[in-house]
Each structure stands twice: as structure tokens, then as C-alpha cells.
């Protein structure tokens, strides 16, 4: 495993992190908590120190799993969670960036995570009804009161990121980025580099597509977000499957699983701090964590990019 500084937060994180959205057990199909905990423990064995979660992943269940899995080794790991959306009842989301709500949201996360401080508190996504400057200001106060060590934002447009930076000590951004989705490189990544921001990328496997395991007739469980994701439907799905097959062929040429090559490609891009890799099982988590130990040569990196081509992922 390798480690990189989380920007101005001042602490290091593993370059492969475990993302826990799927562990919530709702949005990526059913999961077994024992498997989720094994996935976290396998990652720990392989040197992963960063675990990304959110209150809305499985209505709190993912945070609870992270809390249970990391009990006793809390000081050796970095927990990143999020704030902003609240769920007054299961399935109903609304945004609340008021200082009182953000403070209450963090207290609830701390209880579920069984800890007394959140290492990285991230605004899950901006909402036009709530000025991002106010939200960042309220989050910065939570750092001052010791509830969080550092703050970050996620899913921002470049202008929103600039406004966030003007309002407080934002240390990180969290955005999607993969061989199949390189939008982030255009404007946001240069902005992050200019401002010494840590970059946590999500969907490095394009929701599993880049593992190369899906087939045209794949059926997702009802409730799995991929069942209605345009990337997994119709001609776009067909194009993505073809791109994933080509990526897998390049990876095979190097003796690598496709997922590992896809994650290693992300990690080789300048300015990326860590890849948040979702995993439901120890096998997935170990395959993903081992990507951190790869150093792909320039020809392979270019081969992967050409293979991914101009897809919609
Ligand atoms: N800030 C945000 O708005 C935001 C949004 C999305 C995600 N995130 C964060 O980023 C993390 C990663 O994103 P993601 O989970 O959506 O996407 P991802 O990492 O691209 O894909 C994860 C899914 O792919 C499958 N998978 C993982 N490793 C695999 C392997 N080695 N071989 C085969 N299949 C594998 C698993 O699902 P199956 O086994 O069911 O295929 C897993 O749930 C999330 O968990 C979350 O922490 C943040």
C-alpha cells in the first residue's frame, strides 16, 4: 500500500480506500453485514486506512458497519463521512445545511460510527437553496469545536468549488472519475491542483462496469441503482460493455484483473489522492486494495485509455 497526504488536512491516507455505499444494503442490492465487515478487515490487512461513508448509505447502516468494523483500531484509521441530505423517513431525502441541522447530523454520525471525531466531514452535494459558503462556514465551526478534523466538498461545479474555497478551509473534493468518465479532468482537477486540494475519486470502477463481469442480459435486483442507471441500459450499456471488454483485454495482457488495472489507471493520474473503491466482499476489497501496489508503464496506461475510448460510462 502507498499513502498520500490528504491536502491541507495534514494527515495521510491510503491511495486505495474502501467506499461503503453498497454496504448500506439498499442501493446496490442486498448485502450481509458480516461480509461487509470482512471486506473492511481484509482492506485493513492490506494497509487501507481510509474508509468513506455517509449517513444516507442504507439510512445509517453503512456508518454503523464502519463503526463496528473499526472499533478498537480507531486511531489507526481515517473516517470520512458526509453531511447535508437528511432522511426524515426512509426513502425521503431533503437537504438541510442549517448550522443546527449540520451539528445534529454530525452528532448522529458520531454515534453510529462509535467515535468522537470525524476525520473528514464532506458536504455530500451542494443545493442551490442553501449557499455553499454558509454550509462551509458551519462545517468549519464543527472543526473548531472538535467534532471534525478537516472538511471537504463533493459533487460541486467549478464555480461552487471556488465559492466554497472562499468560505473556509476546504481540504478535499470528492468527484466521480474513471476510465469511462473523465469529465473531472476538464476543469475541476486543474482547480484542485491550483488550490492544493486532496482529490478523493468515486466510481473508479464505474459502478462495477470496469471489472468486466457484466453481460448484456445482466439483471440487477429491484432497488439497485444500476437497474435505472442509463449507463446500464440500452445502447449505452452495450457500448460500455464493449469498452469494459477492451479494457479487460489490455489488463489480461499484463496478467491483471480488469478492476485492478482500472483502479491503477486512476491512481496514476497526476493530482489524484485516493480512489474510493466500493466493495461488498473480502475478495473484491482485496482485489481493489492490491491495485495500490501496481505501477503501470506508460504504454499500458495509454492502452487502457485507448481501450476505454469514447464511452458514456
Ligand atoms: N460523493 C458521492 O456523491 C458519491 C457517489 C457515489 C459513490 N461515492 C463513494 O465512492 C465509493 C465507490 O463508488 P461506488 O461504490 O458507487 O462505485 P465503484 O467503486 O465503481 O463500484 C463498486 C461496486 O462494484 C462492484 N465491485 C467492486 N469491486 C469489484 C471487483 N474487484 N470485481 C467485481 N466487482 C466489483 C461491487 O458491486 P457488485 O458486486 O454488486 O457488482 C461494488 O459495490 C462509494 O462506496 C462511496 O463511498 C460517493
Amino acid at each position: 500500500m502507498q499513502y498520500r497526504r490528504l491536502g491541507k488536512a495534514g494527515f495521510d491516507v491510503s491511495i486505495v480506500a474502501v467506499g461503503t455505499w453498497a454496504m448500506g444494503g439498499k442501493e446496490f442490492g442486498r448485502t450481509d453485514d458480516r461480509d461487509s465487515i470482512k471486506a473492511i478487515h481484509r482492506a485493513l490487512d492490506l494497509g487501507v486506512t481510509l474508509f468513506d461513508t455517509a449517513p444516507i448509505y442504507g439510512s445509517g447502516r453503512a456508518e454503523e458497519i464502519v463503526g463496528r468494523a473499526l472499533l478498537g483500531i480507531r486511531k489507526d484509521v481515517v473516517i470520512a463521512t458526509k453531511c447535508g441530505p437528511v432522511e426524515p423517513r426512509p426513502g425521503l431525502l431533503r437537504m438541510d445545511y442549517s448550522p443546527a441541522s449540520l451539528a445534529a447530523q454530525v452528532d448522529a454520525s458520531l454515534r453510529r460510527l462509535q467515535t468522537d471525531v470525524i476525520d473528514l466531514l464532506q458536504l455530500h452535494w451542494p443545493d442551490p437553496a442553501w449557499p455553499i459558503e454558509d454550509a462551509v462556514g458551519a462545517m468549519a465551526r464543527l472543526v473548531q469545536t472538535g467534532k471534525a478534523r478537516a472538511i471537504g466538498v463533493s459533487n460541486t461545479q467549478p464555480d461552487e468549488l471556488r465559492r466554497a474555497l472562499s468560505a473556509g478551509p476546504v481540504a478535499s473534493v470528492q468527484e466521480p472519475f474513471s476510465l469511462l468518465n473523465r469529465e473531472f479532468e476538464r476543469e475541476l482537477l486543474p482547480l484542485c491542483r491550483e488550490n492544493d486540494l486532496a482529490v478523493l475519486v468515486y466510481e473508479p470502477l464505474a459502478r462495477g462496469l470496469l471489472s468486466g463481469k457484466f453481460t448484456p442480459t445482466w439483471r440487477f435486483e429491484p432497488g439497485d441503482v444500476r437497474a435505472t442507471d442509463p449507463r446500464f441500459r440500452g445502447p449505452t450499456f452495450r457500448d460500455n460493455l464493449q469498452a469494459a471488454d477492451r479494457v479487460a483485454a489490455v489488463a489480461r495482457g499484463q496478467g491483471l484483473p480488469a478492476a485492478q488495472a482500472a483502479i491503477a489507471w486512476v491512481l496514476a493520474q497526476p493530482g489524484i489522492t485516493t480512489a474510493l473503491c466500493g466493495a461488498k466482499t473480502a475478495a473484491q476489497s482485496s482485489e481493489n486494495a492490491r491495485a495500490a501496489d501496481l505501477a503501470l508503464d506508460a504504454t499500458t496506461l495509454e492502452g487502457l485509455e485507448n481501450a476505454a475510448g469514447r464511452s458514456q460510462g
Side-chain angles (χ1 to χ4, degrees), residues 26-174:
K26 284 203 317 206
E27 296 90 352
F28 277 75
R30 274 167 300 187
T31 48
D32 181 321
D33 289 359
R34 285 165 303 186
D35 289 337
S36 299
I37 288 174
K38 282 185 195 157
I40 291 176
H41 287 167
R42 179 70 61 81
L44 283 166
D45 290 344
L46 294 170
V48 169
T49 57
L50 174 62
F51 298 87
D52 179 76
T53 188
I56 59 171
Y57 295 168
S59 308
R61 181 168 158 199
E63 283 192 332
E64 282 169 3
I65 290 168
V66 170
R68 289 214 310 272
L70 300 179
L71 212 57
I73 49 160
R74 174 66 186 95
K75 64 176 184 347
D76 303 326
V77 294
V78 172
I79 297 181
T81 191
K82 311 193 184 77
C83 60
V86 291
E87 211 174 347
R89 58 183 157 78
L92 178 71
L93 282 188
R94 67 178 169 75
M95 305 306 277
D96 194 339
Y97 290 148
S98 63
S101 174
L102 290 174
Q105 291 172 38
V106 165
D107 283 341
S109 287
L110 290 172
R111 274 195 301 279
R112 287 188 290 264
L113 290 163
Q114 303 192 52
T115 187
D116 53 7
V117 65
I118 288 163
D119 298 302
L120 180 66
L121 177 67
Q122 305 156 102
L123 193 67
H124 207 146
W125 62 84
D127 185 293
W130 301 88
I132 197 164
E133 293 87 343
D134 295 354
V136 167
M139 289 162 71
R141 282 191 289 284
L142 291 166
V143 174
Q144 283 158 8
T145 56
K147 298 273 172 92
R149 292 171 72 198
I151 60 172
V153 295
S154 181
N155 299 307
T156 58
Q157 295 298 317
D159 63 311
E160 290 167 327
L161 178 56
R162 285 190 194 91
R163 286 169 47 207
L165 287 168
S166 73
V170 172
S172 68
V173 302
Q174 186 176 140

Side-chain angles (χ1 to χ4, degrees), residues 19-22 28 52 57 82 124 154-155 174 202-208 211 213-214 226 259 276-280 284 287-288:
T20 64
W21 187 11
F28 277 75
D52 179 76
Y57 295 168
K82 311 193 184 77
H124 207 146
S154 181
N155 299 307
Q174 186 176 140
Y202 71 74
E203 293 182 358
L205 295 178
R207 295 188 163 174
S211 69
K213 69 183 175 188
F214 294 119
R226 293 171 293 192
L276 308 177
C277 303
K280 289 170 159 176
Q284 287 181 349
E287 185 162 285
N288 300 345

